[in-house]
Structures are given as C-alpha cells and as structure tokens.
Amino acid sequence: MLEYLTKEDLPESLGDIIDTIGIENVKELIKLAGGGNVYIPSENSVVKSFRNKLIKENFDGNYKNLARRFGITEMQVRNIINYKKA
C-alpha cells in the first residue's frame, strides 16, 4: 500500500526529508525504521574519525600547521596524534 502514497498523503513533517532524499527513499526509510526512533548524527561527528585519520597521516611534527589546516587547536592535534586505542 505504501507504494501508492504521494507526498501529499504523507505527514507534513516529512516534507523536508522528501524534498532532500526523494519520496521513494522516504518510503524505504519508513519500511526500515517506521515507528522507531532514528538518531541522525551531526555532520561533525560523522567526519571526525576521517579527519583524525587525515591528521595522523599528514603529521610531520608541526602541530600548528595541522591545527590551522583543520580549524582546530594545537592541543586537539596533539591529543589526536597521541591517542592510543585501548
């Protein structure tokens, strides 16, 4: 039955999501997570581990340059470089 619904048939609160990812993708999302709570992480948290990987790969001993390049503090760069997984 879901396949027959149009944007107008769905709750208005889904309007922005439909406009962003398309109605067919919203229908798939409804099938996958309908009735549940879905947490969508912020862009920053999604790219953070990738950014940290780039920082480690590009580390040449100069904390200041990496801090400027990635828009973070030198202390954050030091913490990223020195972080060891337990």
Side-chain angles (χ1 to χ4, degrees):
M1 193 63 111
L2 190 61
E3 64 270 13
Y4 300 110
L5 299 180
T6 66
K7 180 179 178 180
E8 291 72 30
D9 298 320
L10 295 171
E12 191 175 313
S13 60
L14 293 175
D16 288 342
I17 298 171
I18 292 169
D19 292 342
T20 302
I21 67 172
I23 191 161
E24 294 307 316
N25 288 325
V26 169
K27 290 176 184 180
E28 288 301 313
L29 187 59
I30 290 169
K31 289 177 190 175
L32 177 69
N37 292 321
V38 176
Y39 170 74
I40 300 175
S42 69
E43 179 180 351
N44 185 49
S45 68
V46 169
V47 299
K48 188 176 182 179
S49 63
F50 180 70
R51 179 206 65 192
N52 292 354
K53 178 182 166 200
L54 287 177
I55 288 171
K56 289 177 183 180
E57 289 174 355
N58 290 281
F59 182 64
D60 61 0
N62 192 325
Y63 296 95
K64 186 177 278 190
N65 284 347
L66 282 175
R68 283 189 194 135
R69 178 175 169 191
F70 289 95
I72 59 177
T73 67
E74 285 184 55
M75 183 56 74
Q76 286 175 295
V77 173
R78 288 179 190 278
N79 289 339
I80 291 164
I81 297 299
N82 295 321
Y83 177 77
K84 305 282 188 232
K85 286 187 177 177

